[in-house]
Amino acid sequence: MKRITIKDVAREAGVSITTVSHALSGQGVMKPETRDRVLEVAKSMQYIPDWNGRNLKAGETGTVGFFTASIRGYYGILVDSMYEECHASGYEMEVFMTDNGDSLLRILLSGRVDGAIILHSGFLKNHEKLLLDSELPTVFLDREIGKSHVSSVLFDSYQTGRMAAEYLYSLGHRRMMTLKGSDTFDGIERQRGFEDYLNEKGCPLDPGYSLRGDFDRWVAYGEMKRFLENRKSLPDAIFAANDDSAFGCMKALSEEGYKIPEDVSVLGCDDIELSQWYVPALTTICTHIGEQGIDSMRELVNLIGGKSRGTVQWINGQIVERASCRQALTAMK
């Protein structure tokens, strides 16, 4: 099928190409009935604007982008909170999903968006340098950068990991297990903080008790099932790097006849809505996901408008106590 061009729309509407461009971009002065007619013709012809051409003429798109490789789990909360703040600021938002850093960079440099929020482990240092050189207003959610046109809004995941270890340690637990997150900023930092605290307390994490979780309930479920099938000693407590992997862990334990928290305490992270409805209700660390979405979008709008010079913002977590953790029996004596 032949691609409809702006010339085709102009010919059908009986106006100039400039009039079509102004009608579509909201610029210029024209009669309301002319603008309405052009928009109706463009819609009926299923015209798709040439974003690159529009950028050269208008200088802006009125659209910002969120770039990621997944919107599973807590990402849905993140996207919703971003969109609400975006809409309130008068922008439209597009979500771009790709697992390829090169593809992500091409979209970023194509001029389709006025600014970007990025949460993507496949966006590497070489991609990062080219983006920084482009001076596109950007907010990262997975690396610490603060420059004239770039900011970061980050969970303090290192302190979150320490908080998890300190909490379980305070309950009297000494033999602990982790279900690690993926090789992302948050996954790496949560694990590092957890291990550092235990090392300082003289009860380092046994490598055999550090399992893959990948922020995924089915990965965590499979890893926990294999661990239990090998008949290794059950840990006193388990820290899952996110709530989703905690659910997978709890399912595996339940299927093998273990009770939570009577046989083992389980601590999650993020405090997604399902955590309070799970049985037993999951003790977790609230990372304020919605706050990250709102703050990152607000910062991006400020960068686009020249109201920010680039900052690094840290969001602290807090323990939410429910029913999946309890005091160790040895500590109660």
Side-chain angles (χ1 to χ4, degrees), residues 25 27 53-61:
S25 66
Q27 295 186 328
R54 178 179 170 183
N55 291 340
L56 291 172
K57 294 180 178 64
E60 60 181 28
T61 68

Side-chain angles (χ1 to χ4, degrees), residues 226-268:
R226 281 187 284 276
F227 176 88
L228 297 172
E229 287 166 0
N230 288 333
R231 303 299 176 188
K232 292 184 178 180
S233 298
L234 197 67
D236 303 325
I238 301 170
F239 171 52
N242 73 339
D243 293 340
D244 207 44
S245 54
F247 299 149
C249 166
M250 293 166 79
K251 176 177 171 62
L253 287 165
S254 179
E255 287 180 356
E256 294 298 318
Y258 294 105
K259 293 183 179 180
I260 303 165
E262 291 84 354
D263 296 319
V264 57
S265 291
V266 177
L267 175 65

Side-chain angles (χ1 to χ4, degrees), residues 77-78 81-82 155 287-296 315:
I77 302 170
L78 187 67
S81 61
M82 281 181 191
F155 297 133
T287 52
H288 305 288
I289 300 163
E291 181 180 327
Q292 188 187 37
I294 293 169
D295 289 353
S296 60
I315 299 175

Side-chain angles (χ1 to χ4, degrees), residues 66-278:
F66 174 50
F67 295 80
T68 186
S70 171
I71 55 171
R72 290 182 298 174
Y74 88 89
Y75 292 132
I77 302 170
L78 187 67
V79 170
D80 282 347
S81 61
M82 281 181 191
Y83 178 73
E84 289 178 11
E85 184 64 27
C86 176
H87 185 68
S89 300
Y91 282 88
E92 295 296 330
M93 185 178 91
E94 288 192 50
V95 177
F96 298 88
M97 287 181 59
T98 175
D99 59 2
N100 185 289
D102 292 336
S103 297
L104 192 158
L105 182 66
R106 280 196 296 272
I107 297 170
L108 285 166
L109 300 183
S110 71
R112 290 185 60 177
V113 295
D114 297 335
I117 298 176
I118 300 176
L119 175 58
H120 202 298
S121 59
F123 197 70
L124 306 178
K125 284 292 182 182
N126 59 310
H127 303 128
E128 186 182 297
K129 182 182 184 306
L130 291 169
L131 178 62
L132 294 181
D133 289 344
S134 78
E135 298 190 356
L136 177 73
T138 303
V139 177
F140 284 102
L141 305 185
D142 61 358
R143 66 203 71 191
E144 184 179 352
I145 303 177
K147 292 184 178 292
S148 60
H149 57 280
V150 180
S151 293
S152 294
V153 178
L154 305 168
F155 297 133
D156 194 343
S157 288
Y158 177 79
Q159 289 300 327
T160 297
R162 291 186 64 89
M163 184 184 301
E166 181 179 13
Y167 176 72
L168 294 175
Y169 189 91
S170 73
L171 294 178
H173 301 309
R174 298 295 181 266
R175 184 168 58 198
M176 300 192 210
M177 170 183 283
T178 59
L179 283 162
K180 299 182 293 184
S182 56
D183 291 331
T184 59
F185 174 83
D186 291 313
I188 292 168
E189 289 299 291
R190 286 177 192 177
Q191 182 74 13
R192 188 169 72 88
F194 192 88
E195 291 188 18
D196 280 357
Y197 183 88
L198 293 185
N199 287 337
E200 291 167 15
K201 290 297 181 180
C203 55
L205 185 68
D206 184 325
Y209 283 71
S210 183
L211 309 183
R212 276 182 60 227
D214 288 353
F215 292 139
D216 184 284
R217 72 181 63 185
W218 291 109
V219 173
Y221 170 80
E223 288 290 298
M224 196 67 210
K225 287 286 279 190
R226 281 187 284 276
F227 176 88
L228 297 172
E229 287 166 0
N230 288 333
R231 303 299 176 188
K232 292 184 178 180
S233 298
L234 197 67
D236 303 325
I238 301 170
F239 171 52
N242 73 339
D243 293 340
D244 207 44
S245 54
F247 299 149
C249 166
M250 293 166 79
K251 176 177 171 62
L253 287 165
S254 179
E255 287 180 356
E256 294 298 318
Y258 294 105
K259 293 183 179 180
I260 303 165
E262 291 84 354
D263 296 319
V264 57
S265 291
V266 177
L267 175 65
C269 191
D270 285 337
D271 192 30
I272 63 174
E273 186 177 6
L274 184 58
S275 300
Q276 61 186 308
W277 299 105
Y278 212 82

